[in-house]
Amino acid sequence: MRIDIVTAFPDLVRGPLEYSILRRARMRGLVDIRVHDLRDYTTDRHRQIDDYPYGGGSGMVLKPEPIFRCIEAIQAEAARQGQTIDEVIYLTPDGQVFTQELATRLSLCQQLILLAGHYKGVDQRVRDALVTMELSIGDYVLSGGELPALVVVDAIVRLIPGVLGDASSALSDSFQDGLLDAPVYTRPAVYRGMAVPEVLLSGDHQRIAAWREAQRLEKTRQRRPDLLEKLELTTNDE
Ligand code: SAM
């Protein structure tokens, strides 16, 4: 899989790609992540990527020309290599809210382009002509799309087959099958008088699985009853 991140602040994005699972996935060739600096696609002396908004008002807007040039260059390269670009994604607070279901769907793609906005956002013509999907990571506003892009990349990459040492780990994570995850414990068995639930030390895999399932259901009922309602709706539809 290949992911291209288009940004005005490439250094903000590069750091997290160098750690943990994202680094391992890249090193093992399971994902190829390229970061593109919008300023490299300017043609003026000052490498200007933003300008004042038409109609007045505060805040700057990312200009269309460098974004068109950058994304079209990525598209041309993909066409030469016979690659399919599945989606051009703009990270934006007014987009569709990103979920585990979307992460799972996107993890099956061949190539994705992620566009991070900044300031007041990108010129609307970029959204109209180039973007095929708009994603928000939640109902709050950040200064730029770089952190949201990394959130989306991390959620997708850990689902690519072979990235996690144990694939079943991702399958039991919260949201993957509509429930929250069960509590987890490690050694020591008793810490500051707090004991690990006896069932987890029993070695009885059936009992452990049943305990975990019950914990997942109870936690979901308490914290996210909306998820249970959604599960019931989908079960009734089938
Ligand atoms: N004027 C925009 C609005 O109100 O919808 C907000 C612009 S925001 C200050 C600058 C950039 O940060 C956006 O273009 C977007 O790329 C990114 N951004 C901010 N919050 C986000 C969120 N919740 N999800 C995804 N991207 C976000």
Side-chain angles (χ1 to χ4, degrees):
M1 181 180 198
R2 173 162 158 171
I3 302 176
D4 293 84
I5 305 175
V6 177
T7 168
F9 295 88
D11 290 341
L12 246 175
V13 178
R14 287 195 182 111
L17 302 179
E18 294 301 329
Y19 293 90
S20 181
I21 287 171
L22 286 179
R23 179 185 168 84
R24 220 174 50 212
R26 288 175 47 241
M27 291 300 151
R28 290 165 61 196
L30 296 169
V31 64
D32 178 7
I33 305 178
R34 311 273 175 107
V35 181
H36 305 267
D37 183 348
L38 274 179
R39 282 177 216 279
D40 292 343
Y41 296 86
T42 54
T43 49
D44 63 307
R45 216 158 43 90
H46 301 290
R47 306 181 81 206
Q48 190 184 345
I49 53 163
D50 58 341
D51 212 332
Y52 294 98
Y54 272 123
S58 58
M60 300 296 272
V61 176
L62 285 178
K63 289 165 68 60
E65 306 94 313
I67 301 178
F68 270 81
R69 269 188 221 112
C70 178
I71 290 182
E72 284 172 355
I74 300 168
Q75 286 170 332
E77 188 198 349
R80 277 197 304 276
Q81 295 175 346
Q83 281 268 120
T84 304
I85 297 180
D86 299 271
E87 301 284 359
V88 178
I89 300 171
Y90 176 47
L91 286 313
T92 176
D94 59 7
Q96 174 185 8
V97 176
F98 185 57
T99 58
Q100 189 66 20
E101 200 178 323
L102 271 170
T104 307
R105 211 178 92 205
L106 293 173
S107 72
L108 304 173
C109 292
Q110 198 175 94
Q111 184 166 352
L112 297 171
I113 299 178
L114 267 57
L115 170 63
H118 227 91
Y119 316 119
K120 281 299 277 180
V122 301
D123 185 290
Q124 181 62 35
R125 289 164 291 188
V126 169
R127 300 173 70 166
D128 294 341
L130 292 176
V131 170
T132 60
M133 180 184 264
E134 299 194 328
L135 292 181
S136 161
I137 62 159
D139 289 350
Y140 41 82
V141 176
L142 301 164
S143 320
E146 287 72 19
L147 296 176
L150 286 166
V151 166
V152 170
V153 167
D154 191 302
I156 292 173
V157 169
R158 63 198 301 286
L159 296 175
I160 297 174
V163 168
L164 292 185
D166 178 0
S168 63
S169 162
L171 293 181
S172 67
D173 278 337
S174 293
F175 309 114
Q176 197 62 46
D177 64 359
L179 295 179
L180 300 179
D181 201 358
V184 291
Y185 296 87
T186 186
R187 282 181 291 188
V190 180
Y191 180 67
R192 297 196 176 186
M194 295 177 283
V196 170
E198 176 277 324
V199 57
L200 295 179
L201 311 176
S202 69
D204 181 338
H205 297 298
Q206 254 180 341
R207 257 184 79 210
I208 294 172
W211 179 85
R212 286 194 172 134
E213 195 57 18
Q215 292 285 322
R216 301 183 74 205
L217 269 170
E218 182 52 22
K219 195 197 272 183
T220 311
R221 193 186 63 73
Q222 278 179 14
R223 298 185 177 186
R224 294 292 303 273
D226 59 303
L227 294 179
L228 282 182
E229 269 164 40
K230 219 160 72 187
L231 262 185
E232 272 158 27
L233 285 180
T234 31
T235 324
N236 292 341
D237 283 351
E238 283 164 4

